[in-house]
């Protein structure tokens, strides 16, 4: 049994979040995979996602696609992680097309953990590599994704909320596996190894190393698309990341509270109905 087989529909009581509920196992590739950004998260991938969308690369997959947009994706990501890191099951082109078939591009984690597999699955896609000073990258991750992967509040909410229950185990598995169980200790080493691997795997003519702040021109030249007359997007600052995560926790707590009230009310109503049935039964017996 795969993790994807554990799919359950979104509860109707999830009133405080607006996630979609798509079972990707029912999906197939509908657009070609044209470009893959395999730079690590926190190198400007959220801004790059917005930029690629503006350039017409719809859709562009990002961790937010699974964390806050369509949480059931997390089940397929867990299958991919189990196949790569635990040797459990298989995850190949068919599964990638199910999970990513609606996307012409991708970036951010957890996709970057599967750089080799994705390059093999989509050999015609161009490869972007967003870069950043490793020390500032490490410091940013400690304040954001490493914090989120170890967030005790998220772990608590995951026990009760549908979306959090799908996302948190996937995030924890990815973060632990990719960074050898200790981001603070191994993060910079893994960063260097990851970038060295991409440079080794991808021919120079199919690779663009890109740093935020370079603007539209090098990106558009590499992708062979016109340069927009708009400002390059800038999103997902460190402080905003933490605030959004905490707001998400609160919304999911409200979902869980509503479900508890509804389920508790249904149980109470069922118990009351049963008691009234028994009362009427024995009342008739005594009167008879």
């Amino acid at each position: 049994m795969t993790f994807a087989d554990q799919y359950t529909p979104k509860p109707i009581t999830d009133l405080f979040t607006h996630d979609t509920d798509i079972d990707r196992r029912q999906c197939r590739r509908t657009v070609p995979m044209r470009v893959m950004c395999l730079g690590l998260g926190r190198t400007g991938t959220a801004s790059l996602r917005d930029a690629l969308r503006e350039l017409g690369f719809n859709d562009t997959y990002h961790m937010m696609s699974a964390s806050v947009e369509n949480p059931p994706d997390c089940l397929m990501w867990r299958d991919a992680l189990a196949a790569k890191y635990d040797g459990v099951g298989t995850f190949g082109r068919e599964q990638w097309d199910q999970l990513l078939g609606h996307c012409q591009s991708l970036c951010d984690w957890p996709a970057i953990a599967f750089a080799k597999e994705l390059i093999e699955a989509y050999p015609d896609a161009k490869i972007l590599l967003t870069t950043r000073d490793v020390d500032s990258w490490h410091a940013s991750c400690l304040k954001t994704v490493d914090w989120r992967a170890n967030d005790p509040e998220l772990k608590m909410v995951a026990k009760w909320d549908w979306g959090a229950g799908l996302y948190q185990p996937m995030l924890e598995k990815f973060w632990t596996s990719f960074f050898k169980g200790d981001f603070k200790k191994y993060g910079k080493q893994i960063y260097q190894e990851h970038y060295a691997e991409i440079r080794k795997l991808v021919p120079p003519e199919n690779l663009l190393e890109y740093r935020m702040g370079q603007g539209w021109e090098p990106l558009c030249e590499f992708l062979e698309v016109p340069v927009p007359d708009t400002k390059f997007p800038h999103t997902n600052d460190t402080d905003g990341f933490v605030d959004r995560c905490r707001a998400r926790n609160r919304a999911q707590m409200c979902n869980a509270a509503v479900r508890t009230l509804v389920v508790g009310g249904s149980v109470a109503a069922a118990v009351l109905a049963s008691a009234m049935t028994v009362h009427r039964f024995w009342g008739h017996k005594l009167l008879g």
Side-chain angles (χ1 to χ4, degrees):
M1 185 182 205
T2 67
F3 287 108
D5 292 329
Q6 300 175 19
Y7 163 81
T8 57
K10 178 181 176 179
I12 61 173
T13 50
D14 278 16
L15 304 178
F16 295 88
T17 51
H18 305 285
D19 317 330
T20 57
D21 179 14
I22 302 168
D23 181 359
R24 298 291 183 197
R25 294 174 301 170
Q26 312 305 319
C27 300
R28 300 295 182 268
R29 179 152 295 282
T30 57
V31 291
M33 180 63 76
R34 298 168 60 193
V35 56
M36 298 188 292
C37 175
L38 300 177
L40 298 187
R42 305 306 300 171
T43 59
T45 52
S47 297
L48 181 66
R49 184 194 198 195
D50 290 343
L52 288 171
R53 284 171 155 178
E54 188 168 341
L55 294 174
F57 292 86
N58 295 315
D59 191 14
T60 297
Y61 204 94
H62 185 278
M63 175 66 98
M64 289 187 291
S65 303
S67 63
V68 300
E69 294 172 10
N70 193 63
D73 286 5
C74 295
L75 295 171
M76 289 199 73
W77 284 114
R78 289 181 72 184
D79 284 333
L81 291 163
K84 182 179 180 73
Y85 292 105
D86 304 326
V88 177
T90 58
F91 205 94
R93 175 62 187 262
E94 178 183 357
Q95 288 74 32
W96 289 122
D97 280 349
Q98 291 172 338
L99 179 58
L100 305 172
H102 59 297
C103 297
Q104 296 189 66
S105 56
L106 60 82
C107 62
D108 207 56
W109 26 56
I112 53 88
F114 304 93
K116 184 175 185 295
E117 292 83 355
L118 288 166
I119 289 169
E120 291 174 352
Y122 303 111
D124 296 329
K126 293 190 173 188
I127 306 300
L128 284 170
L129 199 58
T130 46
T131 63
R132 180 177 179 177
D133 172 76
V134 67
D135 292 324
S136 68
W137 168 82
H138 191 258
S140 175
C141 286
L142 281 172
K143 295 176 182 178
T144 55
V145 191
D146 186 63
W147 163 80
R148 186 60 164 164
N150 297 286
D151 180 11
E153 188 174 78
L154 175 61
K155 292 180 182 180
M156 182 271 292
V157 177
K159 296 178 181 179
W160 306 103
D161 177 75
W162 176 79
L166 293 168
Y167 169 60
Q168 188 276 330
M170 183 277 288
L171 174 63
E172 183 175 47
K173 173 63 178 175
F174 159 72
W175 201 249
T176 301
S177 298
F178 191 74
F179 290 109
K180 299 181 179 179
D182 191 337
F183 174 80
K184 188 173 184 179
K185 180 178 180 180
Y186 295 113
K188 294 180 184 180
Q189 174 190 332
I190 298 300
Y191 180 102
Q192 302 288 5
E193 292 174 354
H194 176 82
Y195 281 80
E197 180 186 29
I198 302 302
R199 293 176 182 125
K200 182 178 179 181
L201 287 171
V202 183
E205 63 273 16
N206 201 42
L207 176 67
L208 174 65
E209 297 198 29
Y210 182 85
R211 186 179 288 258
M212 287 298 129
Q214 290 183 291
W216 288 112
E217 283 75 12
L219 183 63
C220 293
E221 181 181 355
F222 178 68
L223 298 176
E224 301 178 277
V225 296
V227 177
D229 58 2
T230 56
K231 186 177 179 180
F232 196 93
H234 176 70
T235 55
N236 204 31
D237 61 284
T238 298
D239 292 337
F241 180 99
V242 173
D243 291 341
R244 286 192 299 274
C245 289
R246 287 177 171 158
R248 174 80 170 174
N249 286 352
R250 300 297 181 271
Q252 291 174 323
M253 288 177 185
C254 291
N255 285 344
V258 171
R259 191 192 313 186
T260 300
L261 288 171
V262 170
V263 172
S266 298
V267 171
V271 170
L272 180 60
S274 298
M276 292 178 67
T277 300
V278 171
H279 177 74
R280 284 196 298 268
F281 174 81
W282 285 108
H284 288 309
K285 284 286 188 181
L286 291 172
L287 291 173

